[in-house]
């Protein structure tokens, strides 16, 4: 028969062994938690680095966004200068619309030297001289209905201006049933602005308002302003210029 003391000691040893196994399991779990915690710390450090990078990028983007209005204004100024330079480079040019295809023959310069005095009513002195003359764009299939414009670059700028002014004063000119029109040569953007301004002409005519266009794209019109002073009424003429 086993003494009670030995049975109690054996139970205590079993309990101690059980506690030891539980401690080992806890140690394993703590090790796993330690590894996971280290991984989480590494992830947090990476997140912090990413947030810092994003914050730096955000600061750069905010600075660039703040500079956008100045850059846009500078871009518009540069664009206006480029358009102005292009328009100035075309000051010696005129465009002629409506000249039938092949009417000029093989020598378009000589053709214009004979046509422009009739079209403008001017006697050019010195005689007209051109740097170059050619049609613009590809030949249309229905060329008789839509002749290509002719662009002429004068050797003397003053003759180009005289031609445009005189053609406007002379009014419509017909060549074999085709109305010939003369216009100054401007850049594409300037032409688009002119079209936008000229679209207002019907409305101004309906209102019986005098208007005009300063080349290249400054439109003006006259309006009557009525002023009341006491029992008297006065009218003044105001010129409005659209830049």
């Amino acid at each position: 028969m086993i003494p009670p003391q030995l049975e109690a000691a054996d139970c205590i040893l079993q309990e101690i062994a059980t506690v030891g196994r539980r401690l080992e399991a806890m140690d394993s779990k703590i090790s796993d938690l330690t590894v996971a915690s280290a991984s989480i710390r590494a992830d947090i450090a990476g997140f912090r680095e990413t947030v810092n990078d994003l914050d730096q990028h955000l600061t750069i983007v905010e600075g660039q966004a703040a500079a956008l209005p100045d850059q846009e204004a500078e871009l518009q100024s540069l664009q206006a200068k480029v358009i102005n330079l292009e328009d100035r480079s075309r000051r010696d040019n005129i465009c002629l619309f409506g000249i039938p295809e092949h009417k000029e023959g093989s020598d378009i310069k000589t053709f214009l030297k004979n046509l422009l005095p009739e079209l403008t009513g001017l006697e050019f002195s010195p005689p007209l001289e051109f740097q170059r003359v050619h049609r613009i764009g590809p030949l249309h299939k229905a060329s008789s209905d839509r002749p290509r414009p002719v662009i002429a670059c004068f050797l003397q700028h003053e003759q180009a201006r005289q031609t445009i002014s005189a053609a406007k004063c002379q009014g419509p000119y017909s060549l074999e049933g085709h109305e010939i029109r003369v216009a100054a040569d401007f850049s594409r953007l300037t032409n688009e602005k002119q079209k936008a301004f000229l679209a207002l002409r019907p409305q101004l005519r309906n209102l019986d308002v005098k208007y005009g266009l300063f080349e290249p794209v400054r439109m003006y019109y006259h309006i009557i302003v009525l002023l009341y002073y006491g029992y008297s009424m006065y009218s003044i003429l105001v010129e409005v210029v659209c830049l």
Side-chain angles (χ1 to χ4, degrees), residues 99-114 132-135 148:
I99 298 178
E101 290 285 346
H102 312 300
K103 180 63 179 176
E104 64 274 16
S106 60
D107 190 351
I108 192 171
K109 289 185 178 181
T110 301
F111 172 77
L112 281 190
K113 289 179 181 179
N114 296 327
R132 56 190 175 275
V133 182
H134 59 87
R135 290 189 182 267
R148 293 171 297 167

Side-chain angles (χ1 to χ4, degrees), residues 32-190:
D32 293 340
L33 289 174
T34 301
V35 173
S37 176
S39 176
I40 291 172
R41 289 194 185 97
D43 291 340
I44 292 174
F47 290 149
R48 285 176 179 172
E49 184 176 356
T50 301
V51 169
N52 290 334
D53 291 341
L54 290 175
D55 187 53
Q56 292 177 1
H57 287 303
L58 180 60
T59 302
I60 295 173
V61 170
E62 287 177 345
Q64 293 175 344
L68 279 178
D70 294 336
Q71 293 177 356
E72 184 177 2
E74 184 178 359
L75 179 61
Q76 291 177 351
S77 175
L78 290 175
Q79 185 183 39
K81 290 180 180 179
V82 170
I83 295 173
N84 182 54
L85 288 174
E86 184 176 355
D87 287 336
R88 288 180 179 275
S89 70
R90 297 169 180 248
R91 293 177 64 191
D92 298 336
N93 299 352
I94 67 168
C95 293
L96 296 102
F97 302 90
I99 298 178
E101 290 285 346
H102 312 300
K103 180 63 179 176
E104 64 274 16
S106 60
D107 190 351
I108 192 171
K109 289 185 178 181
T110 301
F111 172 77
L112 281 190
K113 289 179 181 179
N114 296 327
L115 174 65
L116 292 182
E118 296 181 10
L119 190 150
T120 60
L122 297 176
E123 295 183 3
F124 293 95
S125 179
L128 288 173
E129 292 292 338
F130 303 101
Q131 296 184 44
R132 56 190 175 275
V133 182
H134 59 87
R135 290 189 182 267
I136 304 174
L139 181 64
H140 300 289
K141 292 182 180 179
S143 58
S144 59
D145 298 330
R146 297 178 56 192
R148 293 171 297 167
V150 173
I151 184 168
C153 180
F154 284 72
L155 191 61
Q156 296 189 28
H157 168 72
E158 188 59 31
Q159 289 183 338
R161 298 302 96 190
Q162 289 175 352
T163 300
I164 294 173
S165 299
K168 290 180 179 179
C169 295
Q170 286 290 104
Y173 178 85
S174 179
L175 179 64
E176 297 182 355
H178 295 267
E179 181 180 339
I180 309 301
R181 295 184 297 108
V182 178
D185 182 33
F186 295 112
S187 63
R188 179 181 59 84
L189 290 176
T190 299

Side-chain angles (χ1 to χ4, degrees), residues 223-241:
I223 59 175
I224 301 297
V225 178
L226 300 180
L227 302 177
Y228 293 90
Y229 183 77
Y231 296 99
S232 301
M233 182 177 67
Y234 304 91
S235 64
I236 61 173
L237 184 65
V238 178
E239 182 177 273
V240 181
V241 177

